């Protein structure tokens, strides 16, 4: 299974996020794609919207996209420490060793 990932604050999510994800799904022939909203972005001191509000915004923005989903791995973390991509990727690979992940990175 080929799975795309894009992490970030998504405060708010916008058309650019959704557009690049749709392109990645086509270009890499991905089975599905997960947005991973962060609980505590290491590069920002705060977000305007709460984690649940950001999750809901992603749901609304992607509701008509069958292959686009949301992974709550960072939002549901038991600790309140900063989230780092490498830790999230290690956890996902450990949980799903048979999945091939494709991680998209933004310019920021």
């Amino acid at each position: 299974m080929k799975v795309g990932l894009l992490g970030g604050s998504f405060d708010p999510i916008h058309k650019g996020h959704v557009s690049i994800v749709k392109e990645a799904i086509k270009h890499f022939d991905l089975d599905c794609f997960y947005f991973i909203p962060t609980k505590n972005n290491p590069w920002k001191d705060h977000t305007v919207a709460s984690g649940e509000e950001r999750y809901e915004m992603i749901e609304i923005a992607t509701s008509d996209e069958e292959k686009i989903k949301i992974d709550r791995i960072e939002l549901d973390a038991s600790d309140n420490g900063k989230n780092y991509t490498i830790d999230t990727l290690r956890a996902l690979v450990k949980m799903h060793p048979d999945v091939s992940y494709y991680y998209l990175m933004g310019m920021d």
Side-chain angles (χ1 to χ4, degrees), residues 17-68:
H17 292 127
V18 178
S19 177
I20 193 139
V21 164
K22 288 166 65 173
E23 279 299 313
I25 291 169
K26 287 182 204 171
H27 183 78
F28 296 109
D29 192 29
L30 301 175
D31 296 299
C32 62
F33 199 104
Y34 285 88
F35 278 96
I36 305 174
T38 189
K39 185 176 188 177
N40 292 305
N41 188 321
W43 314 115
K44 297 180 181 178
D45 291 331
H46 69 284
T47 58
V48 175
S50 70
E52 288 308 310
E53 290 168 330
R54 293 180 289 118
Y55 181 90
E56 290 173 12
M57 284 189 276
I58 298 168
E59 277 188 321
I60 293 166
T62 63
S63 63
D64 61 342
E65 300 296 333
E66 182 179 309
K67 290 189 174 187
I68 300 176

Side-chain angles (χ1 to χ4, degrees), residues 59-101:
E59 277 188 321
I60 293 166
T62 63
S63 63
D64 61 342
E65 300 296 333
E66 182 179 309
K67 290 189 174 187
I68 300 176
K69 304 172 185 325
I70 310 167
D71 191 314
R72 296 185 58 95
I73 188 169
E74 292 185 9
L75 288 177
D76 292 344
S78 58
D79 67 57
N80 285 322
K82 296 289 187 178
N83 297 117
Y84 292 95
T85 302
I86 188 64
D87 298 326
T88 300
L89 292 176
R90 285 180 179 147
L92 289 170
V93 168
K94 187 174 182 178
M95 289 187 294
H96 309 287
D98 296 335
V99 172
S100 294
Y101 288 107

